[in-house]
Amino acid sequence: MEFLEVKKIWDKSPHNAFTDLIRFGDYLYCTFREANEHMSMDGKLRVIRSKDGKRWSSVAFMAYDGGDVRDGKFSITSKNELMLNAGIRLHEPIDGHKTRSVSWLSEDGKKWSEIFTCPTGLGTWRWSVSWNKKSGFSIGYTGKDKQGCLYSTKDGKKWKVAKDKLFPFQNSYWNESSIVFLENGDMYTLLRRDSQSYAAVLGFSKFPYEEWFWSDLNVPIGGPKMIYMKKYDKFLAAVRLFGHKSARTSLCWIDYKEGELIEALALPSGGDTSYAGMVYEEDILWISYYSSHEGKTSIYLAKVKI
């Protein structure tokens, strides 16, 4: 890997964090949460876009009346719509639930739909979404889904349960995940287990994704984002790793056949950092992430040649 450049692309709020990145049409789109602090209850999602990765303009600002909007993640639906899903920490519980999963859709990246609040999203936290053929999949955790639940959708609006009680080794603080499909439909997921003493795992399942196999990766991580690199027949992940002095955001190879995670390149980062997005085009990897290594928690864009 050859590190080409890194650039701060947004720092207008007191706390700018939790990114994702996608290519949609002629533009790169980046989303992130703006708030006063990491755990404050006033978060909103900003969407910005750029043709060259240098000049960015804001195209959307997503808020939820009565909740903190977090963990915005992009995907492209089977109808070629740009989808943004997120989790809401509710100011006041609804039917005893403190969280809600929501989504928005756009045909052009500028004009966005109303917010969609499917009933199955109440009381869970659906993280990133990945599409295979005509269905999108997301793993919900916390609340009613403490044991993990794989959800599926046809339109990004309505979701149904595809597999409940998903997580291995129950009561192990499983949460964030990143799903990748191979061309044959096999599903892999990189799954975070909270606490620095708990290692992440790589999950594998074949359609209809009811039977799962798990490999311990022997490394604790945060903020997982994973893509498949067909050229190398390996997964590439951007995660938070933990050092003796500070956390860092790093690119890591994952050998899915051997169940190994190996750090390849640490990005300029530290302190409050992670939650990356990745776009791979013509041997160039674009990575969005956030970090506080320069003081203020800000959004960065890195370019790496592979």
Side-chain angles (χ1 to χ4, degrees):
M1 293 186 183
E2 180 184 352
F3 190 50
L4 299 179
E5 64 177 346
V6 62
K7 178 182 180 181
K8 183 188 293 188
I9 60 173
W10 199 271
D11 67 352
K12 295 185 179 182
S13 287
H15 191 272
N16 311 270
F18 316 126
T19 84
D20 198 19
L21 188 72
I22 199 168
R23 166 74 69 182
F24 183 66
D26 295 332
Y27 292 89
L28 285 170
Y29 286 80
C30 182
T31 187
F32 47 88
R33 173 179 176 265
E34 293 187 1
N36 283 316
E37 297 177 353
H38 187 116
M39 292 303 296
S40 61
M41 292 291 288
D42 59 347
K44 301 174 178 63
L45 291 187
R46 175 82 62 182
V47 178
I48 61 177
R49 72 178 187 178
S50 172
K51 283 190 174 182
D52 57 9
K54 297 178 181 179
R55 294 173 294 275
W56 293 84
S57 60
S58 177
V59 293
F61 196 50
M62 311 301 198
Y64 182 88
D65 186 18
D68 169 34
V69 191
R70 308 176 73 91
D71 295 345
K73 300 294 179 185
F74 285 127
S75 64
I76 298 175
T77 72
S78 60
K79 296 181 180 179
N80 198 38
E81 299 166 300
L82 182 58
M83 177 172 145
L84 178 63
N85 69 285
I88 309 289
R89 288 195 304 163
L90 298 168
H91 294 165
E92 299 292 337
I94 298 176
D95 296 335
H97 298 295
K98 298 179 181 179
T99 60
R100 161 166 267 172
S101 296
V102 300
S103 60
W104 298 265
L105 295 169
S106 176
E107 294 181 353
D108 61 4
K110 289 191 69 176
K111 184 178 180 181
W112 289 81
S113 70
E114 62 182 0
I115 190 170
F116 295 107
T117 55
C118 177
T120 63
L122 185 60
T124 189
W125 199 273
R126 287 194 285 257
W127 227 55
S128 61
V129 179
S130 296
W131 292 77
N132 182 47
K133 296 181 180 178
K134 295 184 178 181
S135 296
F137 292 85
S138 182
I139 294 175
Y141 70 92
T142 202
K144 67 182 181 184
D145 289 333
K146 288 183 178 179
Q147 295 183 329
C149 184
L150 180 66
Y151 289 91
S152 67
T153 183
K154 295 292 187 181
D155 57 9
K157 305 173 187 178
K158 298 179 181 178
W159 297 77
K160 65 179 183 180
V161 173
K163 165 66 178 175
D164 62 357
K165 297 182 180 179
L166 174 69
F167 293 155
F169 330 126
Q170 297 300 323
N171 302 317
S172 290
Y173 309 104
W174 304 106
N175 46 74
E176 301 159 356
S177 61
S178 183
I179 295 172
V180 173
F181 290 96
L182 300 188
E183 290 181 351
N184 62 3
D186 289 353
M187 181 192 293
Y188 286 83
T189 183
L190 177 59
L191 179 60
R192 171 185 175 182
R193 181 168 26 169
D194 250 352
S195 175
Q196 294 185 25
S197 62
Y198 292 138
V201 296
L202 184 68
F204 161 71
S205 182
K206 288 183 173 293
F207 184 82
Y209 313 123
E210 295 178 351
E211 185 177 12
W212 282 80
F213 304 90
W214 302 92
S215 299
D216 196 320
L217 296 176
N218 299 313
V219 179
I221 65 165
K225 177 69 175 184
M226 184 171 71
I227 60 175
Y228 178 60
M229 304 290 283
K230 184 177 181 180
K231 183 176 180 180
Y232 307 102
D233 194 26
K234 294 181 187 295
F235 295 129
L236 183 63
V239 299
R240 178 170 63 246
L241 296 178
F242 303 93
H244 295 295
K245 296 182 179 180
S246 178
R248 64 192 181 279
T249 296
S250 288
L251 297 175
C252 301
W253 289 109
I254 298 178
D255 187 329
Y256 68 94
K257 296 177 181 178
E258 299 296 329
E260 295 179 336
L261 183 147
I262 301 172
E263 185 177 13
L265 182 67
L267 301 175
S269 57
D272 191 4
T273 185
S274 185
Y275 291 72
M278 292 190 289
V279 172
Y280 181 62
E281 300 174 327
E282 298 178 351
D283 295 331
I284 298 295
L285 181 70
W286 301 80
I287 312 116
S288 68
Y289 67 104
Y290 83 95
S291 179
S292 62
H293 66 289
E294 293 183 312
K296 186 176 183 180
T297 305
S298 304
I299 308 301
Y300 293 85
L301 183 74
K303 287 179 66 177
V304 172
K305 185 176 182 180
I306 301 180

